[in-house]
Amino acid sequence: MSEEVIVKDVVINNKLGLHARPAGLIVKEASKFKSEIKLLLDDIEVDAKSILDILTLGATKGKVLKLVAKGEDAKEAIDTLTKLFYNGFGEK
Amino acid sequence: MAKKILQGIPASVGIAIGKAYILTRDHDCIAPMQSISEELVDAELKRLKDAIDMTIANLKSLKSKIPAEHTEYSSIIDTHIMVLEDAKFYETIARYIKNMKLNAEWAIEKGIGDIERSFRDIEDEFFKTRISEIKFLGRKILNNLIGVDQEIKPILSRVILVAHELTPADTVEIDVSKIMAFVTSQGGKTSHVSIVARTLGIPAVVGIEDIDEIISDDQLVIVDGFTGTIIIEPDENEIVDYIEKQEKFEKYKRELYQERRVPAYTKDKCHIKVMANIEFFEEVTSVLEYNSDGIGLYRTEYSYLYKPHLPTEDELYEEYRDLLTIMSPRPVVIRTLDAGGDKIGKGFEKIEEANPAMGLRAIRFCLRNKDIFKTQIRAILRAAVSGNCFLLLPMISGLEELLEAKKVIECAKEELQREGKQFNYDLPIGIMIEVPSAVCVADALAKEVSFFSIGSNDLIQYSLGIDRTNKYVAHLFQPLHPAIIRGIKHTVDVAKQAGIQVTMCGEMAGDPFCVPILIGMGITTLSLSPNAAPGIKRMVRMLSYKECKELVDNVLKGKSVIENNRIVRQKIYDKIPEELQFYTSFFEKQ
């Protein structure tokens, strides 16, 4: 099976958490990939390509999210998204 | 209309005196709600799709009109567009048309309601404010569906904007350069209007019910962003008073900036060292800008939390060395890791803890993961040759933990010696006093360390058993509680007897009601957020040690929070009323 599943933990490190702008960035980046990409917070799973989904997660600073990507470009997708988290979405 | 004084929530500081401009939107048309027949479903879905597309087009054209410097506003619109383009958004509404055979208007109401509810379940206040934006989007679509256009009347001169509620889209449509202040019925300190006001540096008062109906256009209004008071049609005396207050505030801000580098001596010449608490290396620029007497608390968690791997000894060493070199000869207190495995991630099993605050974190985590701890200790020991370094151990609850931690430090020293690496053998070691048991056995602990640093936030939390992020009990978090005052006094006395230094690095160090008490107890080093330093220094210069000591004697006799709050507040209000208001407003802003 060529379908690859990649899982990665990331910490939300920007001050206000996944509010509108970071959520928008995630959607923008995630939508570039063919893979199915999910964000998991505790037991809640949402679609990384839906801004509404991400916003309703209410993910605040310090929480740990699981990124899960499934598909041919899963690895690239996770790398790209992880970078966003590490950079704190370009915020202070 | 007769003069009226109203009270709201102060959301952004400053004073504004000017004419009111009421932001009104025509009342929304009542949307017809009907069921539809099966064959109309497709037509209805198309109506919905068209209305959403039209709303997106509206927003895009709105965005093109925004001046380039207001990027924060255009990014708000971008988010709105993204939400409208989100397939989930469309589906949430469309399924009411498809499954329940409702017309588009009704479906929008139902769908928007669903989305609102999913936001309402979020505990974070900031996310909750999204609800008003979702409502706003729903209204916009509905208006396009029914075909009403809503324009707001132009703002011609500088005004005080009064509205029921201010949505991000409103802020985009109005010319903010003409706004002197905001007054709204809805909202709290973290709502959109408050954030915008603080960004623009203009006053805002929120949460006055029906304010947009009480005030009418062109009425003269005074907005006091310090107290949350609104005066409608003030008399001449009031206007004069407020102009005076406005000028005093401007003067305060000016002086604060000018005096930011002046050291803090009380009127009777006691030097109070004002140091900085910092979290990131980059903050060192503001530490220098405000001429802090040193770094009283360097939180080291950042290097652990936001990196893909655990930091190596050399990475930590370089970070600490650079900080010490820049600050030298001023002291830098480096606190060892004050987090648990959950925060660090990276290979640590997530453990189930009912009370993480009382769980495996800080020194307990370090003593259990001695390799991580020792790596950090070695980095600090090595960096300590580059400046005036102090090592601080967090969350010590008794002698055993301290001795065990010291053993690790000794072991690190032996290793470094064996390896022939350069390090500071005499690095002073201190502990945080933040667990109540440490206060009780402070005498035993004092014999083993060179200094104490009181972390008031946790000390209060643990002593009073109050989680202050829990809104039901947050009001019980009281720094002037007799138990806290006595505990701190005891700690300071024990330290004095043992001849060791005490620093206060919790929020009490930046609290204008606590600072006089701390000074009166004989604490001479305060460590606080760097930008709060100028205000606290200025306050110190207005106090005398003698008066502060008298205040402490009174407070030590206090039996209750109410009594202590009364004693302290009265004393300080009497002494420096306006200073206090100005400072407090800054204090809360941070």
Side-chain angles (χ1 to χ4, degrees):
Chain A
M1 209 174 79
S2 66
E3 284 253 302
E4 214 182 341
V5 180
I6 308 232
V7 182
K8 173 121 191 168
D9 279 351
V10 285
V11 182
I12 300 168
N13 64 5
N14 60 311
K15 200 170 164 198
L16 292 170
L18 293 190
H19 62 95
R21 207 188 59 87
L25 282 174
I26 294 175
V27 173
K28 213 178 264 175
E29 290 300 325
S31 303
K32 291 180 187 162
F33 296 96
K34 288 195 196 115
S35 296
E36 181 187 293
I37 310 169
K38 304 275 185 203
L39 305 181
L40 267 88
L41 179 69
D42 302 325
D43 307 331
I44 310 163
E45 181 189 280
V46 299
D47 183 352
K49 296 178 186 178
S50 162
I51 189 163
L52 261 191
D53 258 18
I54 300 178
L55 287 176
T56 48
L57 207 49
T60 46
K61 180 176 176 172
K63 289 204 174 144
V64 180
L65 277 186
K66 220 179 251 315
L67 305 178
V68 182
K70 194 163 79 182
E72 46 183 301
D73 50 7
K75 194 180 174 315
E76 291 82 355
I78 293 289
D79 284 348
T80 308
L81 294 181
T82 310
K83 212 173 281 167
L84 281 179
F85 281 89
Y86 284 161
N87 294 337
F89 300 94
E91 291 171 17
K92 264 300 224 176
Chain B
M1 197 206 278
K3 189 192 80 177
K4 261 194 181 154
I5 298 180
L6 300 165
Q7 188 58 42
I9 303 164
S12 176
V13 299
I15 305 284
I17 306 169
K19 283 189 173 170
Y21 166 97
I22 318 294
L23 179 74
T24 44
R25 298 193 167 273
D26 296 333
H27 282 292
D28 294 309
C29 295
I30 307 228
M33 296 193 190
Q34 342 168 303
S35 296
I36 52 168
S37 57
E38 181 71 48
E39 53 270 22
L40 279 175
V41 165
D42 285 339
E44 213 56 24
L45 285 173
K46 187 172 182 314
R47 280 186 70 217
L48 173 67
K49 185 85 184 56
D50 288 347
I52 292 177
D53 286 346
M54 201 197 262
T55 312
I56 294 173
N58 296 153
L59 289 174
K60 282 188 175 156
S61 96
L62 193 62
K63 192 188 151 193
S64 65
K65 288 186 214 145
I66 302 169
E69 67 267 23
H70 288 159
T71 50
E72 71 265 44
Y73 299 140
S74 48
S75 84
I76 289 166
I77 300 197
D78 280 336
T79 310
H80 287 175
I81 294 173
M82 265 180 136
V83 169
L84 293 174
E85 285 172 344
D86 191 332
K88 284 254 163 66
F89 181 82
Y90 173 78
E91 269 311 314
T92 309
I93 300 170
R95 68 163 183 250
Y96 282 102
I97 301 178
K98 285 187 262 186
N99 304 342
M100 299 184 70
K101 312 281 178 296
L102 306 181
N103 69 344
E105 286 86 347
W106 200 349
I108 288 171
E109 187 172 302
K110 297 289 260 179
I112 294 288
D114 286 349
I115 298 167
E116 271 178 44
R117 265 187 297 281
S118 57
F119 277 104
R120 200 159 287 147
D121 291 339
I122 302 175
E123 272 171 29
D124 191 86
E125 280 306 313
F126 187 79
F127 282 95
K128 274 193 184 155
T129 59
R130 288 281 98 82
I131 294 175
S132 69
E133 294 176 43
I134 294 291
K135 270 194 183 145
F136 161 83
L137 288 176
R139 228 163 39 223
K140 281 268 178 196
I141 302 169
L142 211 51
N143 288 333
N144 278 326
L145 198 62
I146 305 168
V148 282
D149 192 23
Q150 293 189 323
E151 285 283 319
I152 53 175
K153 56 186 190 285
I155 301 175
L156 302 170
S157 55
R158 301 235 320 137
V159 292
I160 290 170
L161 189 128
V162 180
H164 176 70
E165 181 176 23
L166 201 76
T167 63
D170 292 326
T171 21
V172 170
E173 280 180 76
I174 57 177
D175 176 1
V176 286
S177 67
K178 292 215 171 72
I179 310 295
M180 299 160 70
F182 291 111
V183 183
T184 62
S185 305
Q186 297 281 312
K189 285 194 178 187
T190 56
S191 52
H192 177 71
V193 60
S194 312
I195 295 167
V196 170
R198 289 194 294 261
T199 315
L200 296 171
I202 61 175
V205 172
V206 300
I208 306 183
E209 214 173 309
D210 294 332
I211 190 69
D212 53 328
E213 282 164 30
I214 298 167
I215 303 180
S216 31
D217 271 322
D218 294 329
Q219 262 187 325
L220 190 65
V221 178
I222 293 177
V223 180
D224 184 338
F226 297 102
T227 59
T229 307
I230 303 293
I231 306 179
I232 305 168
E233 296 194 337
D235 58 37
E236 218 161 287
N237 289 333
E238 284 165 330
I239 297 175
V240 172
D241 284 352
Y242 273 95
I243 289 178
E244 211 174 291
K245 189 168 174 184
Q246 200 173 24
E247 282 169 357
K248 275 189 189 155
F249 182 54
E250 290 307 317
K251 183 162 166 271
Y252 174 82
K253 284 198 287 190
R254 228 173 22 245
E255 287 178 357
L256 207 57
Y257 186 74
Q258 286 160 353
E259 296 167 1
R260 73 193 185 283
R261 308 180 72 96
V262 181
Y265 281 91
T266 60
K267 285 195 286 193
D268 42 3
K269 302 279 173 280
C270 267
H271 184 198
I272 304 299
K273 281 184 235 140
V274 179
M275 307 226 249
N277 292 347
I278 67 167
E279 193 166 353
F280 313 111
F281 182 83
E282 289 72 19
E283 285 176 276
V284 76
T285 42
S286 45
V287 174
L288 297 173
E289 161 78 12
Y290 294 118
N291 199 24
S292 294
D293 295 305
I295 292 173
L297 176 64
Y298 180 48
R299 301 186 173 99
T300 56
E301 288 73 59
Y302 191 77
S303 322
Y304 291 84
L305 303 192
Y306 308 130
K307 277 192 186 147
H309 57 85
L310 279 170
T312 65
E313 181 184 321
D314 282 338
E315 279 171 0
L316 293 174
Y317 162 71
E318 280 166 28
E319 176 188 326
Y320 303 155
R321 179 200 59 198
D322 292 349
L323 185 63
L324 282 156
T325 311
I326 294 172
M327 290 304 296
S328 178
R330 286 181 270 198
V332 175
V333 181
I334 302 180
R335 184 175 69 186
T336 59
L337 188 58
D338 188 23
D342 57 323
K343 289 269 172 63
I344 300 174
K346 288 158 240 162
F348 289 99
E349 247 343 276
K350 202 178 163 189
I351 47 172
E352 282 301 324
E353 289 184 298
N355 279 308
M358 298 186 180
L360 188 63
R361 49 169 283 238
I363 196 69
R364 301 157 185 186
F365 174 81
C366 286
L367 291 176
R368 217 179 134 116
N369 295 280
K370 286 204 177 118
D371 43 340
I372 297 178
F373 188 42
K374 202 159 71 185
T375 303
Q376 185 178 29
I377 300 280
R378 283 173 55 111
I380 299 173
L381 281 165
R382 285 171 58 201
V385 296
S386 309
N388 191 2
C389 185
F390 295 79
L391 186 148
L392 179 60
L393 300 166
M395 234 198 153
I396 296 287
S397 65
L399 194 59
E400 291 78 6
E401 276 168 341
L402 172 57
L403 294 179
E404 202 182 338
K406 280 180 77 175
K407 222 180 260 174
V408 178
I409 297 171
E410 284 314 309
C411 176
K413 283 183 188 173
E414 275 168 33
E415 280 178 15
L416 289 170
Q417 200 142 37
R418 233 180 299 130
E419 293 162 26
K421 290 211 168 101
Q422 205 190 359
F423 69 99
N424 180 357
Y425 191 83
D426 300 314
L427 175 66
I429 294 160
I431 54 170
M432 291 286 293
I433 300 288
E434 55 187 338
V435 182
S437 57
V439 174
C440 302
V441 295
D443 53 336
L445 299 170
K447 293 200 178 80
E448 296 291 334
V449 294
S450 313
F451 66 98
F452 282 163
S453 187
I454 303 173
S456 59
N457 306 2
D458 275 348
L459 186 60
I460 299 170
Q461 170 150 312
Y462 293 134
S463 298
L464 304 183
I466 297 301
D467 172 4
R468 68 169 168 167
T469 60
N470 177 336
K471 67 176 176 191
Y472 302 105
V473 292
H475 63 285
L476 297 172
F477 186 93
Q478 293 285 353
L480 295 178
H481 190 294
I484 303 300
I485 298 299
R486 291 175 199 183
I488 295 176
K489 178 73 167 50
H490 174 74
T491 308
V492 175
D493 289 347
V494 166
K496 272 192 210 158
Q497 239 161 32
I500 65 172
Q501 276 286 330
V502 199
T503 302
M504 165 58 78
C505 69
E507 270 168 31
M508 278 177 87
D511 183 335
F513 294 112
C514 298
V515 167
I517 305 277
L518 300 173
I519 293 175
M521 285 182 185
I523 292 182
T524 53
T525 309
L526 303 174
S527 194
L528 41 103
S529 137
N531 44 357
I536 284 296
K537 282 185 177 176
R538 188 179 149 97
M539 195 174 160
V540 168
R541 286 193 284 266
M542 294 178 174
L543 299 167
S544 74
Y545 171 68
K546 195 170 152 283
E547 281 172 314
C548 291
K549 198 166 176 307
E550 281 166 19
L551 186 60
V552 169
D553 291 340
N554 281 331
V555 169
L556 281 173
K557 285 181 219 139
K559 292 180 195 65
S560 67
V561 173
I562 297 174
E563 203 178 329
N564 278 355
N565 276 342
R566 202 188 51 231
I567 297 169
V568 173
R569 277 169 197 266
Q570 197 144 44
K571 177 81 188 166
I572 298 173
Y573 271 127
D574 284 352
K575 236 185 118 42
I576 41 173
E578 252 157 7
E579 178 78 16
L580 191 67
Q581 209 173 66
F582 294 155
Y583 175 74
T584 313
S585 58
F586 266 115
F587 179 61
E588 284 180 351
K589 224 170 115 176
Q590 290 149 15

